[in-house]
Every structure is written in structure tokens, then in C-alpha cells.
């Protein structure tokens, strides 16, 4: 039976990979909706080439342009309400969220309430509102299927295992382009250098996050919610080959690992086909060509992001939302040449220090913390 799919963030790196995977799985997946935040022209092209019957654009200013670019029989929705309507339509079975920032938060929560499974690639969803998302999914009997390669690896390793047998998680990090850099070298890093990731091809924001290891901090918080495990039992280790995507340690000392090429199509395909595995449509991992697999601890003095994330999730409440929002503003300032590479982590730490954490029991409280952090970080950065 084919499952009807909506992709939020269809014009980004993960979204476009998801479109390609869905088309390759057309005997199992029917593409029913595509959405983007701003890139209306690319969204129109994707809708036209895939024959997708409906699209949504988060920024309503682009609605008119989108209508002009698409045939009359393509349904066009706009704004947050349009995104929600796209995700909650009766015929939709699964929503893949790859939209960055907070834009996907309300649509994902609405989709869960409507009983849709969620293939989750947007870290911000669980970082900001992990309690609300996981509680709603449990109440509605909805599956949250991880699409991040690290969380997909853990999810795969835990299939058939009892949660009580899990002892510890290992999130692997490539280390980014600066894993061997000195403090003096990091002081001189520019935006172009930060985009030169050695193993993965991703969007600009997540590539900078990989360079600072902020992405591992976000993934640590995400793993805490996905797998109901204490932050102290989640360890981040550097694995520059990006072959082992993550590992789990069981109470008997066994360590299970998932290996594969550094290709986002693999976890996307697993999420869309779950619980079945779909025959491979691209080159498999060549074990004999892997060479040595190396592991090293994170140099937290130079890359404090993991420590800051652990602090944020251990304190909890509104602090993870502040961690996430402060990082987004700091990365934007770095991309604009307004702050240095090392300033990114410094600004996040200062925003967290200024914030008075409070319970984040509802979405409005979470979004208020997000707004506070953005304004505070802009002031701290002088932007």
C-alpha cells in the first residue's frame, strides 16, 4: 500500500534528497505535498517536475509569484496556516519535516494531533519542544521516525531491543573541517572555510553547525527526547571517516553500530520505508575500501557546544530553546561577517547565562523564550 507523503523544507538539501528518494520509491510513496519557507521558484520547479498536486509557502509574500509559476490545477497554500492545512489533510499518512528554524514547529504538532507519522530531520523541533512533541506522539499513537543519520543509526540499532537493556549512546561527529585546528587557527576562520566540510554536503547553516560542533549539541538534546535517555548517558565522539553513524552500548557490554556511506538518502529511505527495508537504489558501502576507522574525544575547550547543550537539557525548561535560538542568530552574524567563528559559541554561552530558565509547559512559552534569545543575542553581538 502506498503512503501519502508531505515534505516540509522541500527546497533544502535534505528536502531535495527526500524528493528524490520518494520518486525512487514511487511504488510505496505518493508525493502529496511540498512546502518551503522562502524559495518559491525552486518549490514551483519541484512541484512541476514531480506532478505534486499541492504546495505551501511559509512566507505569504511569495504566494502570488508561486501562483503565476504553477498550473491552475496545483493547489497553493500560504503562511503557517497553509503549512498546517497541508500537513493535516485527511489523505496524508506521513510528514517529513526538513524545514529549518521554528517554521516547522506548529505544522509538526498539528500533524501529530491529526494522527500523522513524522519523519523528523529538523533538530529544532525536539530541541525547542521535545516534551510537547513526544507527549503528543505518545498520546496519539504516532511514530517519530528520525532522519538525522546519527539518530537513524541509533534507531536501527535498537530495533528488537528492550529499552531497559540500553546503557549508553555514542553520537559520532566527523569533527568538521577544523577538528585538528589550534586555537590560533580558529581565531582566523572565515565563512568560506567553515563551509568546506570534509565528508558531508549540506546546507550552509548546518555546515557551520558541524564546524562548531553545535550540530552535535543539538543532536544530544534530540537524542535525549527520542530515546528517553539521560544526557549524562549520551557521549559525543569524533569519527572523521563518517562511516559509523552512531553506536549504542547495552548493559552486557555489547556495542552495536550502524555503518553506511555518508549519504542522507539512506536514513531518509529507512524512515519512509519503515518498518520494512527497501532495496538499495544507490551504491552501497565498500567495506574493504573503508580503511582505518578512527575515534577521538571532543576537544571541549575549543569546541564547547556539546557541554553547553548538555547544560541546557539538564536544566531544561526554556533553556534548550534559548540555546537553539542564540546559535541561529550567532551563525547568521558569522555568515554576515559581523562576528568571528569563535564568537558563535561565546554568544550562545552568554545568552544562556543571561537567561532565567523557567518551565516550558506550552508552545507559547517556548516561542517566547526563542524570541527573547534572538533579541538578547543580537544585542550581545552588536548586530
Amino acid at each position: 500500500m502506498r503512503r501519502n507523503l508531505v515534505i516540509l523544507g522541500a527546497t533544502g538539501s535534505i528536502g531535495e534528497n527526500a524528493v528524490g528518494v520518494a520518486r525512487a520509491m514511487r511504488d510505496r510513496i505518493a508525493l502529496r505535498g511540498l512546502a518551503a519557507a522562502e524559495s518559491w521558484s525552486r518549490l514551483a520547479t519541484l512541484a512541476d517536475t514531480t506532478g505534486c498536486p499541492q504546495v505551501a509557502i511559509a512566507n505569504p509574500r511569495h504566494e502570488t509569484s508561486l501562483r503565476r509559476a504553477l498550473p491552475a490545477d496545483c493547489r497553493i497554500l500560504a503562511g503557517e496556516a497553509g503549512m498546517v492545512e497541508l500537513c493535516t489533510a485527511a489523505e496524508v499518512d506521513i510528514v517529513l519535516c526538513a524545514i529549518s528554524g521554528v517554521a516547522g514547529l506548529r505544522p509538526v504538532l498539528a500533524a501529530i494531533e491529526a494522527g500523522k507519522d513524522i519523519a523528523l530531520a529538523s533538530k529544532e523541533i525536539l530541541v525547542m519542544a521535545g516534551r510537547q512533541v513526544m507527549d503528543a506522539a505518545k498520546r496519539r499513537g504516532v511514530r517519530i521516525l528520525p532522519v538525522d543519520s546519527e539518530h537513524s543509526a541509533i534507531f536501527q540499532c535498537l530495533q528488537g531491543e528492550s529499552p531497559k537493556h540500553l546503557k549508553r549512546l555514542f553520537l559520532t561527529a566527523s569533527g568538521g573541517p577544523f577538528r585538528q585546528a589550534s586555537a590560533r587557527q580558529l581565531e582566523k576562520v572565515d565563512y568560506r572555510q567553515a563551509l568546506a566540510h570534509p565528508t558531508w554536503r549540506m546546507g550552509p547553516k548546518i555546515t557551520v553547525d558541524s564546524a562548531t560542533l553545535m550540530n552535535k549539541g543539538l543532536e544530544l538534546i534530540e537524542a535525549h527526547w527520542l530515546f528517553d535517555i539521560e544526557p549524562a548517558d549520551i557521549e559525543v565522539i569524533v569519527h572523521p571517516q563518517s562511516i559509523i553513524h552512531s553506536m549504542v552500548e547495552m548493559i552486557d557490554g555489547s556495542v552495536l553500530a550502524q555503518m553506511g556511506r555518508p549519504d542522507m538518502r539512506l536514513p531518509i529511505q529507512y524512515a519512509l520505508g519503515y518498518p520494512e527495508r527497501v532495496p538499495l537504489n544507490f551504491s552501497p558501502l565498500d567495506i574493504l575500501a573503508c580503511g582505518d576507522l578512527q575515534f577521538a574525544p571532543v576537544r571541549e575547550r575549543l569546541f564547547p557546544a556539546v557541554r553547553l547543550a548538555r547544560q541546557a537539557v539538564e536544566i531544561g525548561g526554556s533553556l534548550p530553546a534559548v540555546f537553539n535560538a542564540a546559535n541561529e542568530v550567532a551563525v547568521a552574524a558569522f555568515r554576515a561577517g559581523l562576528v568571528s567563528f569563535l564568537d558563535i559559541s561565546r554568544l550562545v554561552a552568554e545568552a544562556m547565562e543571561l537567561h532565567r530558565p523557567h518551565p516550558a509547559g506550552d508552545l507559547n512559552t517556548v516561542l517566547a523564550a526563542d524570541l527573547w534569545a534572538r533579541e538578547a543575542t543580537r544585542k550581545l553581538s552588536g548586530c
Side-chain angles (χ1 to χ4, degrees), residues 63 86 98 111 122 151 159 167 173 205 222 263 327 338 358:
E63 182 180 3
L86 186 72
S122 300
H151 301 100
Q159 294 303 299
K167 180 180 180 180
K205 194 268 182 182
E222 193 176 4
D263 188 330
N327 178 58
L338 302 174
H358 51 271

Side-chain angles (χ1 to χ4, degrees), residues 266-310:
L266 287 166
I268 291 168
Q269 179 171 286
Y270 185 77
L272 295 185
Y274 184 82
E276 296 182 28
R277 287 190 181 270
V278 179
L280 200 64
N281 293 314
F282 29 87
S283 300
L285 176 69
D286 184 347
I287 293 291
L288 297 179
C290 288
D292 293 338
L293 300 181
Q294 302 166 335
F295 304 94
V298 172
R299 297 186 295 160
E300 289 198 3
R301 186 180 65 84
L302 294 181
F303 299 94
V306 173
R307 174 179 55 80
L308 293 172
R310 200 182 303 277

Side-chain angles (χ1 to χ4, degrees), residues 126-128 151 171 216-226 234 308-310 312-313 320 323:
L126 289 181
V127 171
M128 294 182 65
H151 301 100
L171 289 170
K216 293 301 142 182
L218 295 167
E219 287 169 11
L220 185 151
I221 299 173
E222 193 176 4
H224 161 68
W225 291 112
L226 279 171
I234 306 171
L308 293 172
R310 200 182 303 277
V313 73
F323 171 82

Side-chain angles (χ1 to χ4, degrees), residues 106-186:
R106 288 191 191 276
V108 163
L109 283 169
I112 291 172
E113 292 296 341
K116 317 301 182 185
D117 285 341
I118 306 296
L120 191 59
S122 300
K123 296 175 176 63
E124 298 89 348
I125 302 297
L126 289 181
V127 171
M128 294 182 65
R131 174 69 66 193
Q132 292 92 330
V133 170
M134 298 310 292
D135 284 354
K138 184 176 180 180
R139 186 179 67 254
R140 295 291 295 141
V142 163
R143 294 183 296 197
I144 306 295
L145 303 166
V147 169
D148 270 349
S149 61
E150 296 80 3
H151 301 100
S152 175
I154 293 167
F155 184 70
Q156 292 181 56
C157 288
L158 291 177
Q159 294 303 299
E161 298 286 351
S162 170
K164 67 181 181 181
H165 294 158
L166 174 62
K167 180 180 180 180
R168 188 164 47 153
L169 302 182
F170 293 96
L171 289 170
T172 55
S174 70
F178 312 124
R179 66 182 180 85
Q180 295 180 315
S182 66
R184 180 169 295 182
Q185 289 171 321
L186 291 177

